[in-house]
Amino acid sequence: MNERQTASVDVVSDVVCPWCYLGQKRLEKAAASLSDIDVMISWRPFQLDPTIPPGGRDRKQYMMAKFGSEERIREIHARIEPLGEAEGIDFAFDAIKVSPNTIDAHRVIRWAASAEPGVQNAVVKRLFSLYFEEGRNIGDPAVLTSAARDAGMDAAVVETMLATDADREAVETEVATASRMGITGVPCFLLENRYAVMGAQDTETLADAIRQVAAEKAKASPNQSVAS
């Protein structure tokens, strides 16, 4: 009887990072291509800019301050848009009006990890889509609550918890931990908490890395494999 291999992938990511959205799509395809490996995906928080106030900042002003000119901003978007199209992402950068602080989004993602399997991934995917394809403000508690509901979470519980400081410190600690680990850019894929793959690598690169780690894990702990 064949035995299935397993591999855990923790993705350090921020939901306002377009490269992280590309990474999510490519990881999803990589996992789907590994029919003989159970890939367990978890999401860890990172903040590209923790200095953004709770109410967010005007997107156009924020991008101008960061990149200096509309021409430079257009160049950056023009480089990312075709990559998104190849992964089924319809980037709508012009629709984004607010650059949000993402601490609350990361709190919701953290809570989703305690829900049914697959819910955390669903929340992350929904937040990426809301922000990058619909231009929604994912710092808004109402938008976050709606995303949680769409992913299968208890919206009433999420709404209540967002009104408190629940897990804010825990998320901030995780973000600080990522920095101490030397992670300065995202996405970062942590395989079995032992190996790091940096950046939005292509699907095959991710699949190969997962395959190698799963094989190594199975060889080291053959009795931990799950019979199919």
Side-chain angles (χ1 to χ4, degrees):
M1 184 178 293
N2 293 329
E3 294 189 344
R4 295 186 62 79
Q5 296 177 347
T6 63
S8 67
V9 181
D10 288 79
V11 190
V12 183
S13 162
D14 198 359
V15 282
V16 292
C17 168
W19 298 102
C20 292
Y21 196 7
L22 288 169
Q24 182 274 316
K25 290 288 190 179
R26 292 169 178 174
L27 176 61
E28 188 174 54
K29 289 181 180 178
S33 74
L34 300 170
S35 58
D36 57 337
I37 301 173
D38 291 325
V39 183
M40 297 161 288
I41 301 170
S42 299
W43 294 84
R44 295 189 186 183
F46 188 89
Q47 283 197 284
L48 291 175
D49 188 351
T51 70
I52 293 177
R57 288 188 175 144
D58 178 86
R59 173 70 172 180
K60 186 173 182 179
Q61 293 178 5
Y62 179 75
M63 294 294 283
M64 285 291 289
K66 188 173 183 179
F67 296 108
S69 71
E70 290 190 12
E71 181 180 6
R72 175 63 177 146
I73 295 169
R74 284 195 298 269
E75 288 175 358
I76 293 169
H77 290 168
R79 185 159 61 100
I80 297 173
E81 285 166 349
L83 298 175
E85 186 176 353
E87 303 299 340
I89 301 171
D90 184 15
F91 281 117
F93 291 112
D94 289 343
I96 303 171
K97 304 304 180 187
V98 177
S99 288
N101 185 296
T102 55
I103 193 74
D104 285 344
H106 287 304
R107 291 165 70 205
V108 175
I109 293 168
R110 179 183 177 87
W111 300 332
S114 301
E116 294 293 319
V119 170
Q120 191 186 46
N121 268 322
V123 167
V124 171
K125 289 168 64 176
R126 184 63 182 136
L127 290 174
F128 276 135
S129 180
L130 282 168
Y131 185 66
F132 285 112
E133 298 182 272
E134 299 180 33
R136 302 292 297 278
N137 177 9
I138 57 172
D140 183 341
V143 174
L144 291 172
T145 300
S146 176
R149 180 188 297 109
D150 291 345
M153 297 179 70
D154 188 323
V157 171
V158 171
E159 183 178 28
T160 299
M161 292 177 71
L162 278 172
T164 73
D165 285 330
D167 286 330
R168 182 180 300 273
E169 186 176 342
V171 170
E172 290 172 345
T173 298
E174 280 198 76
V175 171
T177 297
S179 294
R180 284 198 301 273
M181 291 171 63
I183 297 173
T184 57
V186 286
C188 176
F189 304 92
L190 302 175
L191 310 181
E192 289 293 331
N193 282 318
R194 295 181 62 192
Y195 305 101
V197 177
M198 302 295 297
Q201 301 292 335
D202 61 71
T203 296
E204 189 54 40
T205 297
L206 289 171
D208 284 344
I210 294 169
R211 189 180 295 111
Q212 291 176 32
V213 169
E216 182 180 309
K217 179 182 177 183
K219 191 173 182 179
S221 307
N223 294 329
Q224 294 180 11
S225 297
V226 180
S228 61

